[in-house]
Amino acid sequence: MQKLHHNFGVKIPAIPDLSSLQSLIREHRAVVIEHAQFDEIADFQNWLNQVGNVSAGGNSTHADPAQAYGKQYDRAIKVVQHDPGLPNGGMYYLDTQGTGYWHQDGVNYNRGHECYTALYSVTTPAAGGDTCVSDLVSAWNDLSDAYKNMLRPLKTVNGNRAFRIWNEAYFKRYPERFANELAAFEKQRPLVTVDDHGRESLNISPKNVIGIAGMHIEESNGIVEFLCRHVSRLEYQYRHHWQPNQVFFFSDESMIHYAVRDYYDLPRELWSCKIDLSDK
Ligand SMILES: [Fe+2]
């Protein structure tokens, strides 16, 4: 068993039995499995349903498959990026609908500590297309006691939208999705959480956080700016370079993630699901 990072994550050579896998996921919060093999997306989903409960609506922000960044299959998503339609030299990272920005998924509803993203690699580019995670527990642990005490009672205000990503071309191409994102209520969430192991963690999604509840924007801007910079430092990250037939689980609550859009037009296909281990 190989470590992914000093503070979290392990890589294992094959799919273990279910209870070992559940323990590994809970303890290490990120698990890479090599030499997995699923022929159909339904096979992947059925196996995941034994590991945990595959949540309904793998990704609720993409309710309309035609507008999703990937095609939706029941409760799994086939992640294949669109041709961005940008001129040569155009910014491919804009073609991520917010996945190419540090974020947690589903900030508009509480998933809880036991929720994880599960990805399976079908086709991987020769270079690029990595998936990065950054650990909010490590980022929290490095803060001073004085700063932690200030943060503990705070709540963040969040928008369920890729508000830094939308540009004119996207407004035109996905008018309905843009309207839905604008219509979603802003959501308040605790800035600091404690999981069932007693581990404290920051709980912040740089893509979504707007401010701190109850503060003037002048007061909260400095805190939000520092925290977004702090949680995206290289020291807290694991960057997964994909090989085909790998599964990557990572925590949805105690980690932020980032899909690097640097593979241009090379083919890349991942299958994505959300699982909940809470009653397993
Ligand atoms: Fe995501």
Side-chain angles (χ1 to χ4, degrees):
M1 204 157 58
Q2 197 182 320
K3 281 186 145 200
L4 301 182
H5 181 278
H6 181 73
N7 297 337
F8 67 88
V10 287
K11 186 194 255 187
I12 52 177
I15 294 179
D17 66 80
L18 288 176
S19 66
S20 308
L21 179 56
Q22 288 153 352
S23 311
L24 286 174
I25 294 172
R26 284 203 172 96
E27 185 183 345
H28 300 282
R29 297 179 290 119
V31 176
V32 171
I33 307 175
E34 301 200 273
H35 310 111
Q37 175 75 54
F38 299 99
D39 295 329
E40 302 288 338
I41 202 161
D43 300 337
F44 178 53
Q45 205 171 292
N46 290 338
W47 171 69
L48 284 176
N49 235 339
Q50 298 168 53
V51 181
N53 294 317
V54 176
S55 5
N59 193 331
S60 72
T61 59
H62 305 298
D64 176 1
Q67 297 197 14
Y69 66 91
K71 195 172 175 198
Q72 197 144 2
Y73 288 79
D74 188 10
R75 287 167 295 172
I77 298 174
K78 197 175 263 194
V79 182
V80 184
Q81 297 288 1
H82 296 290
D83 172 357
L86 294 168
N88 286 341
M91 294 181 281
Y92 270 75
Y93 62 79
L94 291 175
D95 178 43
T96 64
Q97 308 216 358
T99 64
Y101 203 98
W102 285 112
H103 68 284
Q104 294 164 309
D105 285 338
V107 295
N108 54 329
Y109 45 94
N110 289 319
R111 288 188 187 281
H113 314 306
E114 296 271 51
C115 290
Y116 298 84
T117 293
L119 297 168
Y120 173 68
S121 50
V122 183
T123 308
T124 58
D130 297 352
T131 297
C132 306
V133 295
S134 188
D135 183 26
L136 298 173
V137 173
S138 303
W140 167 259
N141 287 340
D142 282 357
L143 297 173
S144 66
D145 287 344
Y147 204 76
K148 283 178 177 169
N149 288 336
M150 180 188 70
L151 297 187
R152 274 192 188 95
L154 299 182
K155 288 188 169 181
T156 55
V157 179
N158 299 273
N160 180 39
R161 66 192 75 129
F163 61 89
R164 293 186 175 93
I165 306 294
W166 284 96
N167 61 17
E168 193 184 350
Y170 269 25
F171 297 153
K172 287 179 180 160
R173 195 188 297 183
Y174 307 112
E176 198 178 321
R177 179 157 184 237
F178 180 64
N180 288 344
E181 289 197 359
L182 272 187
F185 287 110
E186 288 171 358
K187 169 93 180 170
Q188 290 194 15
R189 314 159 72 212
L191 177 56
V192 183
T193 59
V194 188
D195 73 10
D196 297 335
H197 290 72
R199 292 177 292 214
E200 269 187 306
S201 176
L202 282 168
N203 179 36
I204 190 165
S205 178
K207 185 184 86 179
N208 304 93
V209 62
I210 296 166
I212 304 290
M215 285 192 183
H216 299 296
I217 199 77
E218 288 83 355
E219 295 171 324
S220 78
N221 274 353
I223 299 171
V224 167
E225 191 195 322
F226 163 70
L227 287 176
C228 289
R229 203 168 57 237
H230 178 62
V231 297
S232 49
R233 287 190 70 96
L234 288 165
E235 282 79 359
Y236 306 126
Q237 294 175 26
Y238 166 68
R239 179 167 180 150
H240 185 65
H241 178 61
W242 290 100
Q243 304 291 330
N245 305 318
Q246 292 179 324
V247 177
F248 185 15
F249 291 98
F250 56 82
S251 166
D252 269 348
E253 186 170 272
S254 68
M255 288 178 187
I256 48 177
H257 59 276
Y258 187 126
V260 187
R261 183 67 173 98
D262 60 349
Y263 50 97
Y264 300 88
D265 55 355
L266 296 175
R268 176 183 186 268
E269 181 176 326
L270 300 183
W271 297 344
S272 170
C273 269
K274 296 290 178 191
I275 62 162
D276 184 339
L277 262 59
S278 48
D279 62 352
K280 295 282 177 175

